[in-house]
Amino acid sequence: MTRTRVRPPSRVAGPEATLLTVERGMQVLRAFRCERSAVSNAELVRRTGLSKATVSRLTSTFIQLGFLRHVAGGREFELGTGPLSIGHSFIEASPLVRMANPFLQALADKLNVSVALAIPNGLEMLYICYRTSDRIATLRLGVGSLLPLGTTSIGRAWLWALAPAEQKRLISELKRAAGGRGAALEQSIRESFAELDANGTCAVLGGYQRDAYGVATPLRVGRDGTLMGLSCGNAEVAPNVAQARKRIGPELKKAAVQLEALFAETDGLP
């Protein structure tokens, strides 16, 4: 009697496989940072948690599509022109960005700081608007910058305004990602929450760059009340954070109220 060998079904097939591939591809692209430093396959594996084979396959595909390119004389990668065109289209098409930029520029000039509006992106905050005073030259940030959610003022202000269940879940993720520093990170986050409870803003020094401080507050934007973070910051030698908080805090809270009114009839998300 001849037996017919039955091939076991694929673990992931059809549309589900396509969605999984797209999701993994987006993880790789998000692993690139705004500082434009070249990234190796090994570093992409570390940042994404994907297998070496998956990362190699995706980077090869993205090179063919123009989303990545090899750094001259090396095997590392940097973003190509593909993501640039998408980002430019996003900025040009966003009424929120067009409305926010003049307002944020005026605030930056008034306080002599950089001003940012950000939304969450995993365990980071993504700058969708960024304006700076002409006298600021030490912060290496801009639209598209990704800052840590757990260690920066803008991330903690956004986290503070979340519903309790979602806040608890994200703090657990942040602690897990921090490893042995998880308990200290949570304590520092709780201290910022206490500051927000008392003043409506929080200030953090060195959350992403040495000698750089940020003062932040949350705001809800548009008809659907999209939660975002608004921050002012600067980098100085031995900055006086208490003085910066006192100087910036009241203006920042006033700006958040004005921005919420400005965006009241928008769709919220950029």
Side-chain angles (χ1 to χ4, degrees), residues 30-220:
R30 287 184 179 128
F32 287 83
R33 301 291 187 259
C34 65
E35 67 270 15
R36 292 185 61 85
S37 58
V39 182
S40 65
N41 266 341
E43 178 62 16
L44 289 172
V45 168
R46 188 190 71 80
R47 292 184 184 184
T48 63
L50 300 174
S51 69
K52 182 178 179 181
T54 296
V55 168
S56 296
R57 184 171 64 252
L58 289 170
T59 51
S60 296
T61 299
F62 283 138
I63 285 175
Q64 295 174 27
L65 295 174
F67 279 72
L68 295 180
R69 61 189 178 197
H70 277 296
V71 175
R75 301 179 64 184
E76 296 177 319
F77 308 98
E78 64 182 5
L79 289 176
T81 57
L84 175 63
S85 64
I86 295 174
H88 180 73
S89 297
F90 160 78
I91 292 172
E92 289 297 312
S94 171
L96 186 149
V97 172
R98 289 198 304 270
M99 294 165 65
N101 278 336
F103 184 93
L104 299 185
Q105 186 64 62
L107 183 62
D109 291 339
K110 180 178 182 180
L111 297 175
N112 191 30
V113 294
S114 64
V115 183
L117 188 65
I119 58 175
N121 182 70
L123 296 182
E124 297 173 306
M125 295 296 288
L126 171 67
Y127 279 5
I128 60 170
C129 297
Y130 181 82
R131 309 302 291 181
T132 183
S133 165
D134 290 339
R135 289 174 286 177
I136 300 293
T138 50
L139 290 174
R140 301 181 297 274
L141 298 171
V143 173
S145 291
L146 288 167
L147 272 66
L149 176 61
T151 62
T152 59
S153 62
I154 198 166
R156 291 177 180 180
W158 180 86
L159 191 61
W160 172 74
L162 285 177
E166 181 66 5
Q167 183 188 96
K168 181 179 179 180
R169 182 187 70 79
L170 280 173
I171 289 176
S172 295
E173 285 192 31
L174 290 167
K175 288 176 63 179
R176 188 159 49 248
R181 297 178 292 105
L185 175 62
E186 182 178 15
Q187 177 61 31
S188 185
I189 290 172
R190 298 294 179 190
E191 290 172 1
S192 290
F193 283 3
E195 189 178 338
L196 283 153
D197 288 335
N199 306 313
T201 65
C202 67
V204 174
L205 174 64
Y208 61 93
Q209 181 179 324
R210 184 179 178 183
D211 290 334
Y213 66 82
V215 183
T217 193
L219 71 163
R220 292 194 176 274

